[in-house]
Amino acid sequence: MFNQQAQQQQQGMNTVSSKELAYITDSLKNEELLAKLAIHGLSDCQSPQLKQKLSQIAQDCLQHSDQLLRTLQQHTYTTH
């Protein structure tokens, strides 16, 4: 009985609600948009320091997107 309750609690913790999925989707879209804006800014920029910062921002946004996707995939694999 205890094992069954623990398993049900664990499954409940692994469940992603539709609200959470919507938040993750929005976050992915936002990170993609920020990366695109930073890359676009690189083409118009003359300052080496600003180019370096924009490049770092773009890389960070892409890493955040990758992390969100990996987390979502891990969750998907554990629930199916």
Side-chain angles (χ1 to χ4, degrees):
M1 182 171 172
F2 177 75
N3 288 339
Q4 185 179 12
Q5 285 179 331
Q7 185 178 18
Q8 287 174 347
Q9 287 177 345
Q10 185 179 12
Q11 287 175 349
M13 290 174 46
N14 288 333
T15 303
V16 176
S17 70
S18 59
K19 186 175 182 177
E20 291 168 322
L21 286 174
Y23 177 79
I24 292 169
T25 301
D26 288 344
S27 296
L28 284 168
K29 289 178 183 177
N30 290 338
E31 291 294 336
E32 181 183 358
L33 177 61
L34 290 171
K36 286 180 180 179
L37 289 171
I39 290 168
H40 179 64
L42 281 169
S43 63
D44 295 335
C45 185
Q46 300 300 319
S47 167
Q49 292 90 358
L50 187 54
K51 280 188 174 196
Q52 182 179 6
K53 187 62 176 175
L54 288 171
S55 178
Q56 184 62 48
I57 290 170
Q59 288 176 357
D60 290 347
C61 290
L62 293 174
Q63 287 175 352
H64 296 155
S65 293
D66 287 344
Q67 184 178 11
L68 283 166
L69 283 172
R70 278 194 310 273
T71 301
L72 190 57
Q73 287 171 342
Q74 287 172 354
H75 174 77
T76 302
Y77 293 139
T78 59
T79 58
H80 287 92

